Amino acid sequence: MTSFSPLSTSSINGERLRYPVVLYLVASVFVVLLLRLWYLQIIRGDSYRNLSENNRIRLEDIVPTRGIIYDRHGRILVDNRPAFNLAIVPEDVSDIHLTLGQLSGLLGVEQAQFMEKFQSAPKGAPFRPVLLKRDMTRDEVAAVESHRFDLSGVMVQIEPKRSYERPSFAAHLIGYLGEIEEAQLKGKRSQGYKLGDYLGKYGVELEWEEALKGERGGRQVEADAAGRQLRILREVPSQPGHNLVLTLDTGLQLRAERALEGKAGAIIALDPNTGDVLAMASSPAFDQNQFIRGLSATEWQSIVDNPLHPLENKSIQGQYPIGSTFKPVVLAAALEDGVVDPNTILSCYGEYRLGNHVYRCWKKGGHGELALHQALVQSCDIYFYQLGQKLGVDRMAAYGKGFRLGRKTLIRLNNEAAGLVPTAEWKLRRFGVPWQKGEDLVTAIGQGFLLATPIQMAVFYAAIANGGKFLRPRVVLRVEDPDGAVIKNVGPEIVGQLNLNPNTLSFLQGALEGVVQEPRGTGRVAQLRGKLHEIRVAGKTGTAQVIRAPEDEEEQDESEIPYKFRDHAWFVAYAPAEAPEIVVAVLVEHGGHGGSAAAPLAREVMEEYFSSRLVEERVARSQ
Amino acid sequence: MIDRRLIQNFDWVLLLLTAAIIAVGLVTLYSALSYGGKVHAGILTRQLYWYGLGVLVMILAFSLDYQWLERFAYPAYVFGIVLLVAVLLQGKTVSGSKRWLDLGLVVAQPSELMKPLLVIGLARFFARQEKRGGYRLRELGLPAIMVIVPVVLVAMEPDLGTSALLLAISVSMILFVGVNLNSLLLLAGISLSSLPLFWFLMKGYQRQRVLTLLDPGRDPLGAGYHIIQSKIAVGSGQFWGKGFLKGTQSQLRFIPEHHTDFIFTVLAEEWGFVGSLLLLALFLCLLLRGLNVARRSRDQFGVLLGFGITAIIFWHVAVNIAMVLGMLPVVGIPLPLVSYGGSSAVVTMASVGILLNVAMRKFVFQK
């Protein structure tokens, strides 16, 4: 053979010796494979043929139970209940039209509707049950079960269903679940989601999905030729999700929701020392259980068409002009920059003229002569126009940003809005029009372009109350495993510091207390009553114009103005003034004056808080 | 470049065997892609395009003298490593691992390409470092690094199956060139004793993964279920099979990946023991032919190249079929020229081209 070239080296000769070994190894591997094939196909062939003909071994899912949600005192807010679903295994049905016809007769659902569900089911693995109807009533389950033997391939599956214990309670904060959408599924398949799964779509249910969802299990089931389960071969149990303990106080939340009944607006109660959201109400609300049952087209339409936007969480998503609740920012700016000192006296005659324009005070006759403290207590617009004129928009904006307006509070809920703090440069960029002198005045009383959300106002006043700390509002206190062991504590988180001279801050605190506690304060209505009257409240009213008031017309009576043109009413307060435990921000859309429309609601919430505190203390003392 | 002698020495048997396996593969793929009387034509067409490209690459692979491969062995190897790093940096993540690189026109698996590149690199090394009486441990330093780098990079994707395969191919080659007996024992000892260390270094979920790999029964909803269904499909084929397009198990989609890694189940179910035997025989002939090419090659590089390429095909076939038959862990290893998959098809055909190249030029004198 020519291949034995004289050039061949001894090394190659050495390798040539290995060829028989290699051949032997390769051949023996193939013999092993053939023996295995012989074993599977010839020796065990009959039994495998039998298994394959009946397609006996199937895989079934075990749906995990979702974590339970508690309030801060351990009351159950969201739980799970068993739901009975009607499903059908296509391969096990002999005559689909007959079977669906029977079901339609039993349940009073049109056959076409079942047929549509049946046909639109994705073609996945074989012997996967196709869902026909979710969440049947007891009677429907009984009807199907009693005809079980006429209905081959039909099965009733039990599945845990989300149950919101009090309809519409804290709906925006807790949120709701919905069926996974196909577009969403694409990115989530690797996380174990499947078509037909429910997942958080809003609120805590959305933001804490990872903790709540649990892990799917499954079982290998051997079924008979008619699809009935014979035995379970292997099973992997599902892992229940983790439970959440919210910062919410059920009593306070109920009180806040009751206060907003029949109105559109938001109430937030925060603990200024921890950032705990004790209550967060947005009105109108919605019933989360509707989303679990599945909304009909008309129900959905009525929610979407509602002009008061029930799905919007007004406490974090609603951006409003903030009116006089902005004045503390202007006051702090003026003191810090030495524009005024606490003794500077300015006069108010009800009107202030700049160029051709006349700017009015909310009080027609004017306040006369007043110093800084009284200017805030009585919320004198003329005094603040002059501060605004001296400061200019950019300095006010800088201090506004110092109070963390115009940026998100980082509360862990979806759709938080950032609000807006205008500057001269911003206006030029946005509208191509330079800033006008008069707009300084308007900005100083919280009108114009300025926008904020109720949660921003609550965090802003909490920082005044607690001596300058900006806390990230906290919704979840801790995560627990199903046995109650703590998985994670969500600690308070300081996200910023208020950089004010201590004298400025204490002056501001004193003035805010005056707003409520002094006889001429605009927020007198918020004084606590009865046994609680000794607890001193500090706060600020705000009446935010929705449209610019016609300048030379006589002021109209509130009730004569069409609803959508009425002013937004604000009140933000904290108490006790000397050692604050609670901050309450109230916004009533088109409610009118802050002092009369918003302050009473804040008082109700604070009274609820302090009276339940009194009860707790009394109980503690008697034990 | 191609003179008459080359054509005379063209290994037609090797080419015909390859064509026969591709034909069996396409028939099986057609069946695997049929469902309820319809064929998923898109995938089938795409595979045909891949084979078209494969033919071009194959022609290229045997036209150029394989001495060129020797010359560019190291740059090619480095290119392969660069691709593997690129896939880790910006590969497409599919079901939890990064194996795919988007090259604009096509999406390719660099780990497939790495197999022949590693073989070429090792062949180059051992061809220039001839040794009597086997290599000693310290002489194996460089090839060890050449092997470990891609093995680790592929394992990081993570694609433990392909990583192990790269290792198996390399070890085959190193044993083939010969290792000093003492060194071999020492090496085996070190490898075995370092296993517990790896185990100790692994994180909990990684250990879980390895355990599932070794024992599919631990994952009854995933790999364990696949293996049961795979065995039912193969076993139910019995001696003569159920007939073309009559395989209920695989056609009813009980078998996941039945057009890729588990395609052998489709063949075994529909064509039974007879069909399986035929395919195994074809593969065995191809491998023997490949070894023959290596044996007859006149230079050291050709010998090692032929052997290494044959080793690639051998390990794929053996591991894939053993996996489908429930004898080995479930790892993502395709059956060459049968499973659906572009990178694998093109790279395997290029490998056959290299074998043809080595076969054809055994008589040609070099400088």
Side-chain angles (χ1 to χ4, degrees):
Chain A
M1 284 199 5
T2 355
S3 61
F4 288 103
S5 140
L7 285 177
S8 100
T9 63
S10 56
S11 152
I12 289 183
N13 280 328
E15 272 147 20
R16 200 161 280 127
L17 291 177
R18 295 194 185 92
Y19 282 111
V21 180
V22 173
L23 286 181
Y24 174 75
L25 284 175
V26 170
S28 51
V29 166
F30 274 70
V31 168
V32 169
L33 292 178
L34 278 176
L35 285 175
R36 177 71 175 178
L37 272 169
W38 183 266
Y39 169 75
L40 290 175
Q41 298 190 298
I42 311 301
I43 298 176
R44 303 267 328 260
D46 275 338
S47 82
Y48 280 130
R49 176 66 67 101
N50 190 17
L51 280 171
S52 89
E53 269 161 12
N54 295 318
N55 288 307
R56 283 183 149 174
I57 298 171
R58 304 165 185 185
L59 218 50
E60 284 180 8
D61 284 343
I62 305 175
V63 180
T65 40
R66 202 172 165 85
I68 297 167
I69 301 178
Y70 300 96
D71 88 340
R72 65 184 300 122
H73 303 298
R75 293 189 193 95
I76 292 182
L77 301 178
V78 186
D79 203 348
N80 303 292
R81 64 180 167 83
F84 301 91
N85 295 342
L86 181 66
I88 191 164
V89 178
E91 287 85 347
D92 290 337
V93 180
S94 46
D95 181 347
I96 186 69
H97 292 280
L98 181 71
T99 308
L100 291 185
Q102 280 174 301
L103 285 175
S104 148
L106 287 172
L107 302 177
V109 177
E110 272 191 52
Q111 192 180 340
Q113 216 174 318
F114 280 145
M115 201 63 201
E116 197 200 314
K117 287 222 168 155
F118 181 77
Q119 282 166 343
S120 63
K123 299 280 175 285
F127 295 92
R128 281 263 153 175
V130 174
L131 197 64
L132 291 181
K133 189 174 188 336
R134 276 190 196 274
D135 209 0
M136 290 189 289
T137 63
R138 298 257 163 197
D139 290 346
E140 289 170 333
V141 175
V144 172
E145 285 292 348
S146 59
H147 291 78
R148 193 63 195 275
F149 282 91
D150 312 332
L151 299 165
S152 69
V154 172
M155 58 198 292
V156 174
Q157 297 174 311
I158 304 175
E159 187 183 63
K161 254 296 178 305
R162 207 62 165 157
S163 162
Y164 299 94
E165 301 296 295
R166 290 189 177 83
S168 88
F169 176 82
H172 299 91
L173 182 124
I174 293 171
Y176 53 82
L177 305 181
E179 213 171 314
I180 194 164
E181 285 150 34
E182 254 173 90
Q184 234 180 342
L185 191 59
K186 262 196 163 177
K188 295 216 169 224
R189 226 180 264 278
S190 62
Q191 293 169 41
Y193 287 97
K194 289 186 181 174
L195 204 70
D197 278 359
Y198 274 74
L199 81 178
K201 294 256 166 149
Y202 196 112
V204 167
E205 293 270 34
L206 168 65
E207 294 298 319
W208 293 80
E209 167 74 17
E210 202 51 43
L212 287 167
K213 70 175 182 169
E215 220 161 303
R216 182 197 311 278
R219 53 173 83 94
Q220 286 178 4
V221 171
E222 190 175 337
D224 66 11
R228 280 177 288 259
Q229 180 177 317
L230 289 180
R231 63 200 173 99
I232 294 170
L233 299 177
R234 297 286 301 269
E235 185 171 281
V236 177
S238 61
Q239 300 292 324
H242 292 150
N243 300 335
L244 297 183
V245 178
L246 302 187
T247 54
L248 215 59
D249 179 313
T250 301
L252 209 60
Q253 176 72 19
L254 284 170
R255 196 73 196 80
E257 287 179 9
R258 192 146 22 102
L260 278 175
E261 235 161 62
K263 304 179 175 78
I267 296 182
I268 295 169
L270 284 187
D271 180 335
N273 304 304
T274 58
D276 283 3
V277 176
L278 303 172
M280 176 181 276
S282 177
S283 175
F286 52 88
D287 179 1
Q288 300 127 288
N289 290 311
Q290 280 189 317
F291 288 86
I292 299 303
R293 276 197 303 272
L295 287 168
S296 70
T298 47
E299 280 176 314
W300 176 247
Q301 206 54 46
S302 82
I303 290 178
V304 172
D305 288 347
N306 188 329
L308 301 178
H309 305 298
L311 285 180
E312 183 188 62
N313 184 357
K314 297 188 168 54
S315 43
I316 61 168
Q317 214 177 335
Q319 305 182 89
Y320 304 91
I322 54 179
S324 300
T325 49
F326 183 66
K327 282 177 181 159
V329 173
V330 181
L331 183 148
L335 277 180
E336 293 278 300
D337 285 10
V339 170
V340 288
D341 64 48
N343 303 318
T344 307
I345 291 174
L346 297 172
S347 312
C348 166
Y349 303 111
E351 283 183 2
Y352 186 75
R353 193 172 288 273
L354 182 79
N356 308 329
H357 284 276
V358 174
Y359 296 87
R360 297 170 193 281
C361 187
W362 65 269
K363 192 174 180 186
K364 261 192 191 165
H367 291 96
E369 296 199 327
L370 13 78
L372 191 55
H373 178 88
Q374 278 304 316
L376 191 76
V377 168
Q378 300 185 39
S379 200
C380 173
D381 291 337
I382 306 292
Y383 198 106
F384 278 87
Y385 287 146
Q386 296 172 68
L387 293 184
Q389 196 180 357
K390 287 175 184 154
L391 285 163
V393 63
D394 290 342
R395 268 203 281 178
M396 286 188 283
Y399 279 89
K401 283 172 184 163
F403 280 93
R404 294 179 79 84
L405 295 175
R407 66 197 285 182
K408 294 180 182 180
T409 66
L410 303 179
I411 187 169
R412 223 178 127 178
L413 289 176
N414 55 317
N415 298 333
E416 189 187 2
L420 176 67
V421 178
T423 58
E425 195 245 323
W426 168 85
K427 190 192 169 196
L428 191 64
R429 190 156 30 87
R430 177 79 169 71
F431 297 104
V433 180
W435 190 265
Q436 308 293 311
K437 280 251 172 248
E439 287 171 321
D440 287 340
L441 275 55
V442 171
T443 304
I445 62 161
Q447 296 292 151
F449 299 109
L450 200 61
L451 293 173
T453 62
I455 188 79
Q456 284 177 323
M457 297 309 289
V459 169
F460 160 15
Y461 278 74
I464 298 174
N466 67 27
K469 293 192 296 284
F470 286 102
L471 287 149
R472 181 178 183 176
R474 172 166 67 156
V475 174
V476 171
L477 213 48
R478 60 180 179 273
V479 184
E480 294 179 347
D481 77 3
D483 301 323
V486 176
I487 301 281
K488 182 186 176 191
N489 273 310
V490 184
E493 199 181 324
I494 296 172
V495 291
Q497 200 73 36
L498 183 60
N499 290 316
L500 286 187
N501 187 320
N503 295 334
T504 307
L505 187 59
S506 61
F507 181 84
L508 184 55
Q509 288 166 338
L512 289 174
E513 191 177 336
V515 170
V516 179
Q517 299 296 345
E518 288 178 20
R520 280 191 285 186
T522 52
R524 291 183 309 278
V525 186
Q527 286 172 18
L528 303 191
R529 298 165 297 187
K531 282 180 192 152
L532 303 171
H533 82 275
E534 278 173 15
I535 298 173
R536 294 175 70 81
V537 176
K540 184 72 194 81
T541 52
T543 306
Q545 286 173 5
V546 176
I547 49 161
R548 196 166 288 210
E551 274 172 28
D552 296 318
E553 270 175 46
E554 278 299 297
E555 211 173 290
Q556 283 173 291
D557 187 9
E558 188 73 36
S559 58
E560 287 168 18
I561 307 172
Y563 175 78
K564 63 175 180 173
F565 296 137
R566 288 182 207 164
D567 297 339
H568 293 319
W570 278 97
F571 190 70
V572 193
Y574 59 85
E578 63 286 356
E581 290 173 25
I582 183 171
V583 174
V584 178
V586 177
L587 166 89
V588 181
E589 281 186 5
H590 310 294
H593 287 289
S596 56
L601 311 192
R603 181 191 64 212
E604 284 172 33
V605 172
M606 286 187 287
E607 282 176 348
E608 168 71 28
Y609 176 82
F610 287 110
S611 53
S612 66
R613 273 284 309 274
L614 276 184
V615 173
E616 275 170 36
E617 274 164 23
R618 211 174 302 146
V619 170
R621 230 177 293 137
S622 66
Q623 272 168 354
Chain B
M1 189 159 51
I2 299 183
D3 63 25
R4 206 148 35 90
R5 250 190 331 168
L6 286 180
I7 295 168
Q8 272 171 4
N9 289 315
F10 190 81
D11 194 337
W12 292 103
V13 177
L14 190 60
L15 187 67
L16 280 175
L17 283 169
T18 309
I21 294 171
I22 289 179
V24 171
L26 284 174
V27 169
T28 313
L29 189 63
Y30 181 89
S31 179
L33 295 172
S34 310
Y35 178 68
K38 274 181 281 182
V39 182
H40 198 314
I43 293 184
L44 200 63
T45 319
R46 240 179 295 160
Q47 187 68 355
L48 285 173
Y49 282 133
W50 282 117
Y51 280 132
L53 182 63
V55 169
L56 292 179
V57 173
M58 192 165 152
I59 292 173
L60 193 74
F62 74 71
S63 317
L64 287 167
D65 193 320
Y66 65 86
Q67 301 302 328
W68 284 89
L69 284 180
E70 187 170 10
R71 196 167 304 166
F72 291 108
Y74 290 161
Y77 170 86
V78 171
F79 174 68
I81 298 293
V82 168
L83 286 186
L84 286 181
V85 172
V87 96
L88 284 180
L89 292 182
Q90 43 191 334
K92 260 178 56 174
T93 305
V94 177
S95 52
S97 65
K98 280 187 174 177
R99 300 180 183 182
W100 302 86
L101 196 61
D102 197 340
L103 299 174
L105 277 176
V106 290
V107 188
Q109 256 179 302
S111 56
E112 288 294 330
L113 184 62
M114 196 62 226
K115 292 165 193 164
L117 293 184
L118 179 57
V119 163
I120 294 168
L122 287 176
R124 160 80 161 72
F125 177 84
F126 288 117
R128 300 284 174 92
Q129 311 269 323
E130 290 169 16
K131 199 77 201 170
R132 270 171 209 273
Y135 289 83
R136 293 184 168 281
L137 213 48
R138 69 183 105 85
E139 293 155 344
L140 288 173
L142 184 65
I145 291 170
M146 282 175 69
V147 174
I148 287 168
V149 170
V151 164
V152 169
L153 286 173
V154 173
M156 278 163 68
E157 288 180 2
D159 185 349
L160 294 179
T162 305
S163 177
L165 209 74
L166 281 170
L167 197 62
I169 293 164
S170 314
V171 168
S172 311
M173 280 186 80
I174 292 171
L175 290 180
F176 181 74
V177 298
V179 178
N180 176 286
L181 189 64
N182 289 338
S183 300
L184 188 64
L185 290 176
L186 188 64
L187 205 62
I190 292 173
S191 320
L192 283 179
S193 55
S194 64
L195 283 181
L197 182 72
F198 274 112
W199 184 252
F200 182 71
L201 287 174
M202 272 192 280
K203 296 194 183 94
Y205 74 94
Q206 287 171 320
R207 285 184 199 169
Q208 217 50 44
R209 209 174 174 132
V210 171
L211 285 177
T212 308
L213 211 61
L214 296 178
D215 174 17
R218 293 177 66 95
D219 180 17
L221 309 179
Y225 182 70
H226 295 186
I227 282 303
I228 288 184
Q229 295 297 347
S230 174
K231 284 200 279 193
I232 292 175
V234 172
S236 69
Q238 295 183 308
F239 191 77
W240 292 108
K242 294 177 181 170
F244 185 50
L245 298 183
K246 300 224 172 78
T248 52
Q249 281 288 297
S250 26
Q251 296 220 0
L252 280 177
R253 304 195 190 173
F254 269 104
I255 312 291
E257 310 287 334
H258 67 286
H259 66 289
T260 56
D261 295 347
F262 278 81
I263 193 157
F264 187 74
T265 59
V266 179
L267 179 94
E269 187 182 11
E270 297 191 346
W271 303 97
F273 185 74
V274 178
S276 313
L277 184 67
L278 174 78
L279 184 65
L280 282 179
L282 285 175
F283 269 122
L284 186 60
C285 290
L286 183 78
L287 292 171
L288 296 183
R289 200 71 195 172
L291 285 175
N292 198 42
V293 167
R295 189 160 62 105
R296 290 187 169 201
S297 177
R298 188 201 41 76
D299 67 319
Q300 178 81 333
F301 180 68
V303 167
L304 291 170
L305 191 59
F307 178 82
I309 296 286
T310 310
I312 296 180
I313 301 174
F314 167 75
W315 282 110
H316 272 93
V317 174
V319 170
N320 177 278
I321 294 181
M323 164 185 90
V324 168
L325 301 183
M327 303 163 78
L328 276 185
V330 178
V331 289
I333 299 295
L335 187 59
L337 305 176
V338 181
S339 288
Y340 169 76
S343 304
S344 165
V346 173
V347 170
T348 309
M349 289 183 76
S351 304
V352 173
I354 293 174
L355 279 182
L356 289 171
N357 192 338
V358 176
M360 205 158 65
R361 291 190 172 82
K362 62 192 172 207
F363 300 118
V364 181
F365 286 94
Q366 52 184 122
K367 49 188 183 265

PDB file of all heavy atoms in Angstrom, chain A residues 237-249:
ATOM      1  N   PRO A 237     -44.782  19.127  45.059  1.00  0.00           N
ATOM      2  CA  PRO A 237     -45.780  20.056  45.617  1.00  0.00           C
ATOM      3  C   PRO A 237     -45.466  21.498  45.228  1.00  0.00           C
ATOM      4  O   PRO A 237     -44.312  21.841  44.984  1.00  0.00           O
ATOM      5  CB  PRO A 237     -45.656  19.854  47.128  1.00  0.00           C
ATOM      6  CG  PRO A 237     -44.319  19.234  47.336  1.00  0.00           C
ATOM      7  CD  PRO A 237     -43.968  18.489  46.090  1.00  0.00           C
ATOM      8  N   SER A 238     -46.508  22.312  45.162  1.00  0.00           N
ATOM      9  CA  SER A 238     -46.273  23.733  44.876  1.00  0.00           C
ATOM     10  C   SER A 238     -45.804  24.416  46.154  1.00  0.00           C
ATOM     11  O   SER A 238     -46.051  23.942  47.252  1.00  0.00           O
ATOM     12  CB  SER A 238     -47.559  24.381  44.368  1.00  0.00           C
ATOM     13  OG  SER A 238     -48.563  24.282  45.353  1.00  0.00           O
ATOM     14  N   GLN A 239     -45.102  25.523  45.983  1.00  0.00           N
ATOM     15  CA  GLN A 239     -44.628  26.295  47.134  1.00  0.00           C
ATOM     16  C   GLN A 239     -45.503  27.526  47.295  1.00  0.00           C
ATOM     17  O   GLN A 239     -45.559  28.332  46.378  1.00  0.00           O
ATOM     18  CB  GLN A 239     -43.184  26.756  46.907  1.00  0.00           C
ATOM     19  CG  GLN A 239     -42.187  25.634  46.705  1.00  0.00           C
ATOM     20  CD  GLN A 239     -41.987  24.828  47.959  1.00  0.00           C
ATOM     21  OE1 GLN A 239     -42.007  25.369  49.058  1.00  0.00           O
ATOM     22  NE2 GLN A 239     -41.835  23.516  47.805  1.00  0.00           N
ATOM     23  N   PRO A 240     -46.191  27.661  48.439  1.00  0.00           N
ATOM     24  CA  PRO A 240     -47.021  28.858  48.605  1.00  0.00           C
ATOM     25  C   PRO A 240     -46.166  30.125  48.620  1.00  0.00           C
ATOM     26  O   PRO A 240     -44.991  30.080  48.988  1.00  0.00           O
ATOM     27  CB  PRO A 240     -47.708  28.642  49.957  1.00  0.00           C
ATOM     28  CG  PRO A 240     -46.914  27.592  50.644  1.00  0.00           C
ATOM     29  CD  PRO A 240     -46.247  26.773  49.590  1.00  0.00           C
ATOM     30  N   GLY A 241     -46.762  31.234  48.198  1.00  0.00           N
ATOM     31  CA  GLY A 241     -46.036  32.504  48.181  1.00  0.00           C
ATOM     32  C   GLY A 241     -45.818  33.049  49.582  1.00  0.00           C
ATOM     33  O   GLY A 241     -46.373  32.543  50.561  1.00  0.00           O
ATOM     34  N   HIS A 242     -45.008  34.070  49.677  1.00  0.00           N
ATOM     35  CA  HIS A 242     -44.759  34.707  50.971  1.00  0.00           C
ATOM     36  C   HIS A 242     -45.876  35.679  51.331  1.00  0.00           C
ATOM     37  O   HIS A 242     -46.510  36.247  50.456  1.00  0.00           O
ATOM     38  CB  HIS A 242     -43.421  35.447  50.939  1.00  0.00           C
ATOM     39  CG  HIS A 242     -42.259  34.518  50.849  1.00  0.00           C
ATOM     40  ND1 HIS A 242     -41.084  34.854  50.224  1.00  0.00           N
ATOM     41  CD2 HIS A 242     -42.101  33.250  51.288  1.00  0.00           C
ATOM     42  CE1 HIS A 242     -40.243  33.835  50.303  1.00  0.00           C
ATOM     43  NE2 HIS A 242     -40.840  32.845  50.925  1.00  0.00           N
ATOM     44  N   ASN A 243     -46.081  35.819  52.619  1.00  0.00           N
ATOM     45  CA  ASN A 243     -47.112  36.744  53.087  1.00  0.00           C
ATOM     46  C   ASN A 243     -46.514  38.134  53.288  1.00  0.00           C
ATOM     47  O   ASN A 243     -45.335  38.262  53.580  1.00  0.00           O
ATOM     48  CB  ASN A 243     -47.694  36.253  54.408  1.00  0.00           C
ATOM     49  CG  ASN A 243     -48.331  34.874  54.269  1.00  0.00           C
ATOM     50  OD1 ASN A 243     -48.744  34.494  53.171  1.00  0.00           O
ATOM     51  ND2 ASN A 243     -48.391  34.148  55.355  1.00  0.00           N
ATOM     52  N   LEU A 244     -47.362  39.150  53.142  1.00  0.00           N
ATOM     53  CA  LEU A 244     -46.904  40.522  53.340  1.00  0.00           C
ATOM     54  C   LEU A 244     -47.639  41.145  54.522  1.00  0.00           C
ATOM     55  O   LEU A 244     -48.847  40.960  54.663  1.00  0.00           O
ATOM     56  CB  LEU A 244     -47.197  41.375  52.106  1.00  0.00           C
ATOM     57  CG  LEU A 244     -46.512  41.008  50.791  1.00  0.00           C
ATOM     58  CD1 LEU A 244     -46.896  42.026  49.726  1.00  0.00           C
ATOM     59  CD2 LEU A 244     -45.002  40.974  50.968  1.00  0.00           C
ATOM     60  N   VAL A 245     -46.901  41.857  55.351  1.00  0.00           N
ATOM     61  CA  VAL A 245     -47.529  42.665  56.390  1.00  0.00           C
ATOM     62  C   VAL A 245     -47.381  44.116  55.957  1.00  0.00           C
ATOM     63  O   VAL A 245     -46.260  44.612  55.794  1.00  0.00           O
ATOM     64  CB  VAL A 245     -46.856  42.435  57.755  1.00  0.00           C
ATOM     65  CG1 VAL A 245     -47.489  43.324  58.809  1.00  0.00           C
ATOM     66  CG2 VAL A 245     -46.964  40.970  58.148  1.00  0.00           C
ATOM     67  N   LEU A 246     -48.515  44.759  55.728  1.00  0.00           N
ATOM     68  CA  LEU A 246     -48.483  46.150  55.258  1.00  0.00           C
ATOM     69  C   LEU A 246     -48.320  47.102  56.433  1.00  0.00           C
ATOM     70  O   LEU A 246     -48.517  46.734  57.586  1.00  0.00           O
ATOM     71  CB  LEU A 246     -49.765  46.482  54.504  1.00  0.00           C
ATOM     72  CG  LEU A 246     -50.113  45.622  53.289  1.00  0.00           C
ATOM     73  CD1 LEU A 246     -51.324  46.217  52.574  1.00  0.00           C
ATOM     74  CD2 LEU A 246     -48.937  45.538  52.338  1.00  0.00           C
ATOM     75  N   THR A 247     -48.009  48.341  56.113  1.00  0.00           N
ATOM     76  CA  THR A 247     -47.942  49.379  57.139  1.00  0.00           C
ATOM     77  C   THR A 247     -49.324  49.954  57.428  1.00  0.00           C
ATOM     78  O   THR A 247     -49.504  50.746  58.348  1.00  0.00           O
ATOM     79  CB  THR A 247     -47.048  50.534  56.658  1.00  0.00           C
ATOM     80  OG1 THR A 247     -47.551  50.972  55.392  1.00  0.00           O
ATOM     81  CG2 THR A 247     -45.614  50.092  56.492  1.00  0.00           C
ATOM     82  N   LEU A 248     -50.290  49.548  56.639  1.00  0.00           N
ATOM     83  CA  LEU A 248     -51.641  50.086  56.700  1.00  0.00           C
ATOM     84  C   LEU A 248     -52.307  49.787  58.045  1.00  0.00           C
ATOM     85  O   LEU A 248     -52.130  48.717  58.610  1.00  0.00           O
ATOM     86  CB  LEU A 248     -52.451  49.432  55.582  1.00  0.00           C
ATOM     87  CG  LEU A 248     -53.499  50.249  54.873  1.00  0.00           C
ATOM     88  CD1 LEU A 248     -52.878  51.466  54.232  1.00  0.00           C
ATOM     89  CD2 LEU A 248     -54.152  49.375  53.808  1.00  0.00           C
ATOM     90  N   ASP A 249     -53.090  50.743  58.547  1.00  0.00           N
ATOM     91  CA  ASP A 249     -53.896  50.550  59.746  1.00  0.00           C
ATOM     92  C   ASP A 249     -55.351  50.500  59.281  1.00  0.00           C
ATOM     93  O   ASP A 249     -55.880  51.489  58.778  1.00  0.00           O
ATOM     94  CB  ASP A 249     -53.649  51.720  60.696  1.00  0.00           C
ATOM     95  CG  ASP A 249     -54.466  51.610  61.974  1.00  0.00           C
ATOM     96  OD1 ASP A 249     -55.689  51.340  61.893  1.00  0.00           O
ATOM     97  OD2 ASP A 249     -53.900  51.807  63.047  1.00  0.00           O
TER      98      ASP A 249
END
